[in-house]
Amino acid sequence: IILVFILSNLYSFVRVIVLMIVELMLAFVDFLRGIISRKDLLKELQFVPARVAISILLRELVTIGAKLDAVRGLPIIHLNLLGYDEQSHRRGPSSQFAHWSLKGIDDAISRVWRAAKSSPRRNYEVWVYSDHGQAETVPYEYLHGETVTDAIKRVFADLNNLEVATNLDSEVLGIELQRAKYIGGKWLQKLFPFYQIETGLQMQAQNVTVTSMGPMGSIYPAHPLSPSCIEKLAITLVQNAKIPLVFACIRNSTHSKLEIKAWNKNGVYQLPRDASEIFGKEHPYLQDVTDDMVRLCKHKESGALLISGWSVEGEYCSFAMENGAHGGPSPEETDAFALLPSDTPLPIKENGYL
């Protein structure tokens, strides 16, 4: 069966091999540039096979599968093309290598579109859409000379004499190797020794657990903290640990209602009242971002404190080692697009976007 599959898609497999060779050459050029820029040698070398696997191999296999499904006439075919997102995390959303991956994605969409339109079994409509954008970020460690792990460790040690131990070092590893597991196969996974490490930072100790993924994170004390203690921690995280933005859900002592407070270097704010001061007056999705953040702070699984790398004034930092990020409140990463047929029925939206 595998032999028949390969022979029936021989052109596609030859194409994959050629593209992988070209991408491998480009990856080594990028590797040399990274070394010249004094980036970590081991991590740069590990990114070469991961880049080829995700940007070329996985993309081509997914495209072949979608074309086969169109010939079979499946009612709904959905594929996710990860190359641009993968490159954006590593080199930044405006980097040449991220834009290079877009050309391959455009070609993949073109092939899927042709297969859909020539399907003998079904009259397909093709939708192309993104789920989010990418924001330019600077790793926290680059900005402040220490990992966010060490910064939070200092804060808790100074305020509560708490010892914070780390059991993962993924701010150093970054998140670029996570998707290598999608290609499957145990022998392939040996090329990516860190693929099983969960994305983001996790710290655990007797008194506190901290998790973060990209530009957002949560702090979970082992025991409930008083509102005054939470506020003191938030202020210290901003002033001492240089965390750009800290959120907390605090019960007001006067009227016993929950309030969402936010701290940055300019002072303390309250959501939703001061949303424009926190996220920026020109934010295109200000109300939606505010509603999301309020829900996140009030969620039963959220920590006592939430940390964010977002700043209206300064550089946007990520707690992972990445130059592009999403998952936070910035205009770029909360933006998206949808290219739909002109006769697609859409809901009426007062705000002008889906």
PDB file of all heavy atoms in Angstrom, residues 2 5 16 58 68 78 92 155 166 197 203 206 211 227 250 252 263 268 302 327:
ATOM      1  N   ILE A   2       1.916   1.255   0.812  1.00  0.00           N
ATOM      2  CA  ILE A   2       2.807   2.418   0.867  1.00  0.00           C
ATOM      3  C   ILE A   2       3.487   2.645  -0.472  1.00  0.00           C
ATOM      4  O   ILE A   2       3.625   3.781  -0.943  1.00  0.00           O
ATOM      5  CB  ILE A   2       3.847   2.223   1.990  1.00  0.00           C
ATOM      6  CG1 ILE A   2       3.164   2.187   3.355  1.00  0.00           C
ATOM      7  CG2 ILE A   2       4.888   3.349   1.956  1.00  0.00           C
ATOM      8  CD1 ILE A   2       4.097   1.920   4.508  1.00  0.00           C
ATOM      9  N   PHE A   5       1.090   4.143  -2.856  1.00  0.00           N
ATOM     10  CA  PHE A   5       0.897   5.543  -2.475  1.00  0.00           C
ATOM     11  C   PHE A   5       2.037   6.414  -2.985  1.00  0.00           C
ATOM     12  O   PHE A   5       1.819   7.493  -3.532  1.00  0.00           O
ATOM     13  CB  PHE A   5       0.788   5.633  -0.949  1.00  0.00           C
ATOM     14  CG  PHE A   5       0.743   7.034  -0.417  1.00  0.00           C
ATOM     15  CD1 PHE A   5      -0.359   7.843  -0.637  1.00  0.00           C
ATOM     16  CD2 PHE A   5       1.811   7.545   0.319  1.00  0.00           C
ATOM     17  CE1 PHE A   5      -0.402   9.138  -0.140  1.00  0.00           C
ATOM     18  CE2 PHE A   5       1.774   8.832   0.812  1.00  0.00           C
ATOM     19  CZ  PHE A   5       0.667   9.628   0.577  1.00  0.00           C
ATOM     20  N   VAL A  16       9.190  17.020  -2.756  1.00  0.00           N
ATOM     21  CA  VAL A  16       9.525  17.135  -1.337  1.00  0.00           C
ATOM     22  C   VAL A  16      11.029  17.004  -1.140  1.00  0.00           C
ATOM     23  O   VAL A  16      11.649  17.788  -0.398  1.00  0.00           O
ATOM     24  CB  VAL A  16       8.780  16.064  -0.524  1.00  0.00           C
ATOM     25  CG1 VAL A  16       9.329  16.002   0.903  1.00  0.00           C
ATOM     26  CG2 VAL A  16       7.293  16.365  -0.485  1.00  0.00           C
ATOM     27  N   LEU A  58       6.443  18.415   6.649  1.00  0.00           N
ATOM     28  CA  LEU A  58       5.083  18.372   7.180  1.00  0.00           C
ATOM     29  C   LEU A  58       4.114  19.094   6.255  1.00  0.00           C
ATOM     30  O   LEU A  58       2.998  18.624   6.011  1.00  0.00           O
ATOM     31  CB  LEU A  58       5.046  18.978   8.579  1.00  0.00           C
ATOM     32  CG  LEU A  58       3.731  18.856   9.337  1.00  0.00           C
ATOM     33  CD1 LEU A  58       3.321  17.398   9.496  1.00  0.00           C
ATOM     34  CD2 LEU A  58       3.832  19.516  10.700  1.00  0.00           C
ATOM     35  N   LEU A  68      -5.598  14.199  -1.757  1.00  0.00           N
ATOM     36  CA  LEU A  68      -6.211  12.865  -1.801  1.00  0.00           C
ATOM     37  C   LEU A  68      -7.634  12.892  -1.242  1.00  0.00           C
ATOM     38  O   LEU A  68      -8.550  12.248  -1.788  1.00  0.00           O
ATOM     39  CB  LEU A  68      -5.355  11.878  -1.012  1.00  0.00           C
ATOM     40  CG  LEU A  68      -4.006  11.491  -1.624  1.00  0.00           C
ATOM     41  CD1 LEU A  68      -3.210  10.633  -0.654  1.00  0.00           C
ATOM     42  CD2 LEU A  68      -4.212  10.751  -2.938  1.00  0.00           C
ATOM     43  N   HIS A  78      -9.753  19.930   6.248  1.00  0.00           N
ATOM     44  CA  HIS A  78      -9.123  21.038   6.967  1.00  0.00           C
ATOM     45  C   HIS A  78      -7.641  20.756   7.119  1.00  0.00           C
ATOM     46  O   HIS A  78      -7.243  19.666   7.531  1.00  0.00           O
ATOM     47  CB  HIS A  78      -9.751  21.208   8.350  1.00  0.00           C
ATOM     48  CG  HIS A  78      -9.221  22.386   9.110  1.00  0.00           C
ATOM     49  ND1 HIS A  78      -8.081  22.325   9.876  1.00  0.00           N
ATOM     50  CD2 HIS A  78      -9.657  23.659   9.212  1.00  0.00           C
ATOM     51  CE1 HIS A  78      -7.847  23.506  10.422  1.00  0.00           C
ATOM     52  NE2 HIS A  78      -8.784  24.336  10.032  1.00  0.00           N
ATOM     53  N   GLY A  92      11.292  35.980  14.002  1.00  0.00           N
ATOM     54  CA  GLY A  92      10.452  37.172  14.015  1.00  0.00           C
ATOM     55  C   GLY A  92       9.514  37.202  12.816  1.00  0.00           C
ATOM     56  O   GLY A  92       9.863  36.715  11.736  1.00  0.00           O
ATOM     57  N   VAL A 155      12.102  37.708  43.737  1.00  0.00           N
ATOM     58  CA  VAL A 155      10.966  38.409  44.339  1.00  0.00           C
ATOM     59  C   VAL A 155      10.389  37.611  45.495  1.00  0.00           C
ATOM     60  O   VAL A 155      10.161  38.143  46.589  1.00  0.00           O
ATOM     61  CB  VAL A 155       9.890  38.700  43.282  1.00  0.00           C
ATOM     62  CG1 VAL A 155       8.605  39.183  43.946  1.00  0.00           C
ATOM     63  CG2 VAL A 155      10.393  39.730  42.284  1.00  0.00           C
ATOM     64  N   THR A 166      13.260  25.289  39.845  1.00  0.00           N
ATOM     65  CA  THR A 166      12.780  25.067  38.480  1.00  0.00           C
ATOM     66  C   THR A 166      12.974  23.612  38.107  1.00  0.00           C
ATOM     67  O   THR A 166      13.968  22.985  38.448  1.00  0.00           O
ATOM     68  CB  THR A 166      13.536  25.947  37.475  1.00  0.00           C
ATOM     69  OG1 THR A 166      14.911  25.600  37.529  1.00  0.00           O
ATOM     70  CG2 THR A 166      13.361  27.411  37.802  1.00  0.00           C
ATOM     71  N   ILE A 197       9.445  18.192  25.713  1.00  0.00           N
ATOM     72  CA  ILE A 197       9.380  19.219  26.751  1.00  0.00           C
ATOM     73  C   ILE A 197       8.199  20.126  26.497  1.00  0.00           C
ATOM     74  O   ILE A 197       7.994  20.614  25.404  1.00  0.00           O
ATOM     75  CB  ILE A 197      10.686  20.032  26.788  1.00  0.00           C
ATOM     76  CG1 ILE A 197      11.834  19.111  27.212  1.00  0.00           C
ATOM     77  CG2 ILE A 197      10.567  21.210  27.734  1.00  0.00           C
ATOM     78  CD1 ILE A 197      13.167  19.788  27.254  1.00  0.00           C
ATOM     79  N   MET A 203       7.689  26.317  36.984  1.00  0.00           N
ATOM     80  CA  MET A 203       8.499  26.280  38.196  1.00  0.00           C
ATOM     81  C   MET A 203       7.635  25.716  39.313  1.00  0.00           C
ATOM     82  O   MET A 203       6.475  26.080  39.454  1.00  0.00           O
ATOM     83  CB  MET A 203       8.971  27.683  38.592  1.00  0.00           C
ATOM     84  CG  MET A 203       9.738  28.403  37.513  1.00  0.00           C
ATOM     85  SD  MET A 203      10.465  29.915  38.140  1.00  0.00           S
ATOM     86  CE  MET A 203       9.062  30.712  38.874  1.00  0.00           C
ATOM     87  N   GLN A 206       7.655  24.186  47.098  1.00  0.00           N
ATOM     88  CA  GLN A 206       6.677  23.928  48.150  1.00  0.00           C
ATOM     89  C   GLN A 206       5.661  25.054  48.248  1.00  0.00           C
ATOM     90  O   GLN A 206       4.511  24.826  48.606  1.00  0.00           O
ATOM     91  CB  GLN A 206       7.405  23.741  49.493  1.00  0.00           C
ATOM     92  CG  GLN A 206       6.476  23.401  50.644  1.00  0.00           C
ATOM     93  CD  GLN A 206       7.227  23.185  51.920  1.00  0.00           C
ATOM     94  OE1 GLN A 206       8.440  23.320  51.957  1.00  0.00           O
ATOM     95  NE2 GLN A 206       6.503  22.843  52.972  1.00  0.00           N
ATOM     96  N   THR A 211       3.743  29.132  35.809  1.00  0.00           N
ATOM     97  CA  THR A 211       3.710  28.624  34.442  1.00  0.00           C
ATOM     98  C   THR A 211       3.648  29.803  33.490  1.00  0.00           C
ATOM     99  O   THR A 211       3.024  30.822  33.789  1.00  0.00           O
ATOM    100  CB  THR A 211       2.491  27.721  34.190  1.00  0.00           C
ATOM    101  OG1 THR A 211       1.302  28.509  34.255  1.00  0.00           O
ATOM    102  CG2 THR A 211       2.415  26.601  35.208  1.00  0.00           C
ATOM    103  N   PRO A 227      -5.219  40.079  50.022  1.00  0.00           N
ATOM    104  CA  PRO A 227      -5.171  41.114  48.985  1.00  0.00           C
ATOM    105  C   PRO A 227      -3.963  42.033  49.114  1.00  0.00           C
ATOM    106  O   PRO A 227      -3.353  42.401  48.112  1.00  0.00           O
ATOM    107  CB  PRO A 227      -6.486  41.877  49.200  1.00  0.00           C
ATOM    108  CG  PRO A 227      -7.413  40.863  49.791  1.00  0.00           C
ATOM    109  CD  PRO A 227      -6.541  40.008  50.663  1.00  0.00           C
ATOM    110  N   ILE A 250      -8.806  40.677  42.792  1.00  0.00           N
ATOM    111  CA  ILE A 250      -8.769  40.946  44.234  1.00  0.00           C
ATOM    112  C   ILE A 250     -10.165  41.328  44.733  1.00  0.00           C
ATOM    113  O   ILE A 250     -10.863  42.103  44.081  1.00  0.00           O
ATOM    114  CB  ILE A 250      -7.765  42.076  44.545  1.00  0.00           C
ATOM    115  CG1 ILE A 250      -6.358  41.663  44.122  1.00  0.00           C
ATOM    116  CG2 ILE A 250      -7.794  42.433  46.021  1.00  0.00           C
ATOM    117  CD1 ILE A 250      -5.322  42.740  44.331  1.00  0.00           C
ATOM    118  N   ASN A 252     -12.510  43.411  46.905  1.00  0.00           N
ATOM    119  CA  ASN A 252     -12.484  44.712  47.573  1.00  0.00           C
ATOM    120  C   ASN A 252     -12.987  44.582  49.006  1.00  0.00           C
ATOM    121  O   ASN A 252     -14.048  44.008  49.260  1.00  0.00           O
ATOM    122  CB  ASN A 252     -13.354  45.699  46.791  1.00  0.00           C
ATOM    123  CG  ASN A 252     -13.229  47.114  47.315  1.00  0.00           C
ATOM    124  OD1 ASN A 252     -13.655  47.427  48.420  1.00  0.00           O
ATOM    125  ND2 ASN A 252     -12.651  47.980  46.494  1.00  0.00           N
ATOM    126  N   TRP A 263      -1.028  46.246  37.112  1.00  0.00           N
ATOM    127  CA  TRP A 263       0.105  47.087  37.497  1.00  0.00           C
ATOM    128  C   TRP A 263       1.117  47.127  36.354  1.00  0.00           C
ATOM    129  O   TRP A 263       1.413  46.109  35.729  1.00  0.00           O
ATOM    130  CB  TRP A 263       0.804  46.528  38.734  1.00  0.00           C
ATOM    131  CG  TRP A 263       0.008  46.548  39.987  1.00  0.00           C
ATOM    132  CD1 TRP A 263       0.073  47.467  40.999  1.00  0.00           C
ATOM    133  CD2 TRP A 263      -0.969  45.586  40.410  1.00  0.00           C
ATOM    134  NE1 TRP A 263      -0.808  47.146  42.006  1.00  0.00           N
ATOM    135  CE2 TRP A 263      -1.462  45.998  41.670  1.00  0.00           C
ATOM    136  CE3 TRP A 263      -1.487  44.411  39.839  1.00  0.00           C
ATOM    137  CZ2 TRP A 263      -2.423  45.275  42.367  1.00  0.00           C
ATOM    138  CZ3 TRP A 263      -2.446  43.706  40.519  1.00  0.00           C
ATOM    139  CH2 TRP A 263      -2.912  44.141  41.776  1.00  0.00           C
ATOM    140  N   VAL A 268      -1.071  51.722  39.006  1.00  0.00           N
ATOM    141  CA  VAL A 268      -2.056  50.659  39.149  1.00  0.00           C
ATOM    142  C   VAL A 268      -3.346  51.074  38.448  1.00  0.00           C
ATOM    143  O   VAL A 268      -3.750  52.242  38.489  1.00  0.00           O
ATOM    144  CB  VAL A 268      -2.326  50.345  40.645  1.00  0.00           C
ATOM    145  CG1 VAL A 268      -2.810  51.583  41.394  1.00  0.00           C
ATOM    146  CG2 VAL A 268      -3.328  49.209  40.796  1.00  0.00           C
ATOM    147  N   SER A 302      -6.993  30.139  36.803  1.00  0.00           N
ATOM    148  CA  SER A 302      -5.957  31.164  36.732  1.00  0.00           C
ATOM    149  C   SER A 302      -5.224  31.283  38.064  1.00  0.00           C
ATOM    150  O   SER A 302      -5.764  30.964  39.118  1.00  0.00           O
ATOM    151  CB  SER A 302      -6.565  32.519  36.362  1.00  0.00           C
ATOM    152  OG  SER A 302      -6.965  32.531  35.011  1.00  0.00           O
ATOM    153  N   GLY A 327      -0.581  34.971  21.768  1.00  0.00           N
ATOM    154  CA  GLY A 327      -1.193  34.527  23.019  1.00  0.00           C
ATOM    155  C   GLY A 327      -1.412  35.663  23.992  1.00  0.00           C
ATOM    156  O   GLY A 327      -2.039  35.473  25.031  1.00  0.00           O
TER     157      GLY A 327
END
